[in-house]
Amino acid sequence: MICGSVKPTTSIFLQRLMAFHELVLIGDEAFRYCGQWAAQFRQRMGRAFEGRIIFDVGCYDASFLARVASKHPRIGFVGIDWKVRSLLAGAEEVTRRQLRNAVLIRGRGQEVARIFTAGEVDEIWLFHPEPCDRLQELNNRLFAEPFLLDVHQVLRDGTSTLTLKTDHPGYHQWALGLCGQRQPTWFELARAAREQKVPPQPDWPRVRAGDLVHPSQIPPASSEIKSNFEVSALSHNYWNDPAAKAQMQNRCFADELTHFEHRYTRQRLPIYLLELRKRDDSR
Ligand SMILES: C[S@@+](CC[C@H](N)C(=O)[O-])C[C@H]1O[C@@H](n2cnc3c(N)ncnc32)[C@H](O)[C@@H]1O
């Protein structure tokens, strides 16, 4: 337990969160079920557990996770977030819905390879990670080589995937660059138009040009990522892209807006999606 190191401003919420010890893993408890997640879900769910495990990184208040988990009672869901107050709301929601198939972790997504052992996870969701778009923050971006190599390790062989969704076009540029994918042509047109104070053309797709970066700031393709994953889905406007939605139709997140997506889609912002599938023959 980490009570001793808790700042006074967070301790009340942390103490309230700790009351959900059956449901929420805090501190080193996060690593308690490493290698035993299937057994743990079997214990919680009995024979209802079908064996699949989904990890939601940055689950916020777990409202999305709880909604999806209640529709898919045979799958085990693990949500992680750093924010105590959000997780507290999540723990209350999971309890209110009496879900046996959801566990929450107070921790950092970067710990994925300590939370799960090799091949233990079927899907990882990285939905609207913090953009970390200032120069000094770029190294904190979760979608980066070290995290993705750990993700590769914990994903099960076969058809397991990591799905990134973001509203942030600069983050999308970054992810496309690392994965060696072509940038949408209108990104550079929109960015240059903004710099030269020229209005965007009406036939360009909508993009928040102020968040786009110069091509020189896009990272080069990572050979490590390429040899470990294939890009299995890509959309520059997921909610208005029938082909991408059809491709995702058998996924349990396909038709569900996340908490933050509700906001973004109200503002008519495109949601970018990039999915990586683990290559079995990698490494
Ligand atoms: C913009 S919100 C998105 C929440 C949710 N996935 C959604 O789509 O509505 C990003 C969330 O990620 C969490 N977060 C940021 N960095 C994290 C990290 N390294 N590990 C775990 N959670 C993190 C934040 O606390 C926040 O709740």
Side-chain angles (χ1 to χ4, degrees):
M1 287 298 172
I2 54 174
C3 303
S5 60
V6 174
K7 289 186 206 151
T9 49
T10 55
S11 64
I12 293 166
F13 294 105
L14 191 52
Q15 276 168 23
R16 283 175 57 192
L17 189 63
M18 286 162 68
F20 291 90
H21 49 83
E22 291 276 299
L23 166 64
V24 187
L25 307 175
I26 301 172
D28 283 349
E29 285 285 289
F31 315 123
R32 176 175 170 184
Y33 301 134
C34 181
Q36 294 164 32
W37 280 101
Q40 181 51 214
F41 278 118
R42 225 169 282 123
Q43 194 177 315
R44 287 167 187 254
M45 298 157 64
R47 303 237 296 256
F49 179 54
E50 62 159 41
R52 288 175 58 73
I53 295 176
I54 295 180
F55 186 42
D56 183 5
V57 181
C59 65
Y60 188 60
D61 63 1
S63 53
F64 173 74
L65 180 144
R67 192 162 13 101
V68 176
S70 67
K71 289 185 185 169
H72 298 271
R74 293 172 61 79
I75 299 176
F77 292 84
V78 183
I80 188 168
D81 206 288
W82 184 249
K83 285 189 190 141
V84 172
R85 285 178 78 162
S86 309
L87 275 181
L88 180 58
E92 287 165 353
E93 178 63 6
V94 170
T95 305
R96 188 185 68 76
R97 288 180 183 259
Q98 300 185 318
L99 296 176
R100 302 293 304 157
N101 60 332
V103 173
L104 302 178
I105 294 176
R106 196 272 169 129
R108 295 191 183 278
Q110 285 87 339
E111 302 276 23
V112 62
R114 293 181 69 199
I115 297 168
F116 300 99
T117 194
E120 213 172 12
V121 187
D122 294 278
E123 275 181 49
I124 296 184
W125 298 342
L126 185 55
F127 292 164
H128 307 285
E130 301 292 354
C132 301
D133 51 2
R134 284 181 295 186
L135 202 57
Q136 65 273 28
E137 293 174 335
L138 290 177
N139 282 341
N140 298 335
R141 282 188 165 169
L142 258 177
F143 194 96
E145 221 176 64
F147 175 69
L148 291 173
L149 297 184
D150 285 347
V151 160
H152 177 269
Q153 183 187 316
V154 304
L155 283 176
R156 204 185 298 280
D157 287 345
T159 56
S160 56
T161 50
L162 171 125
T163 313
L164 167 72
K165 282 200 274 179
T166 180
D167 68 300
H168 193 286
Y171 206 101
H172 189 52
Q173 284 179 294
W174 164 279
L176 290 172
L178 279 177
C179 298
Q181 297 295 298
R182 284 220 326 260
Q183 305 283 325
T185 44
W186 64 92
F187 272 16
E188 188 45 21
L189 296 173
R191 192 199 61 79
R194 188 173 193 274
E195 280 206 342
Q196 287 145 32
K197 300 191 171 43
V198 177
Q201 298 302 305
D203 57 335
W204 294 350
R206 195 177 160 87
V207 58
R208 213 164 52 207
D211 287 333
L212 290 167
V213 296
H214 188 272
S216 63
Q217 291 170 275
I218 299 170
S222 152
S223 55
E224 285 280 315
I225 295 175
K226 252 182 137 174
S227 65
N228 284 289
F229 294 99
E230 62 179 316
V231 173
S232 48
L234 175 60
S235 175
H236 307 311
N237 192 352
Y238 177 67
W239 290 104
N240 294 297
D241 184 342
K245 290 196 68 195
Q247 195 185 348
M248 293 292 136
Q249 68 181 358
N250 62 344
R251 314 294 294 282
C252 50
F253 66 78
D255 295 319
E256 305 280 347
L257 290 164
T258 73
H259 177 93
F260 277 77
E261 252 167 83
H262 276 288
R263 276 196 211 168
Y264 304 143
T265 50
R266 238 180 277 130
Q267 296 163 21
R268 298 198 301 115
L269 292 172
I271 301 298
Y272 305 96
L273 176 143
L274 175 69
E275 184 167 88
L276 299 181
R277 181 178 297 141
K278 175 176 178 168
R279 287 188 200 275
D280 285 348
D281 53 355
S282 45
R283 289 207 162 161

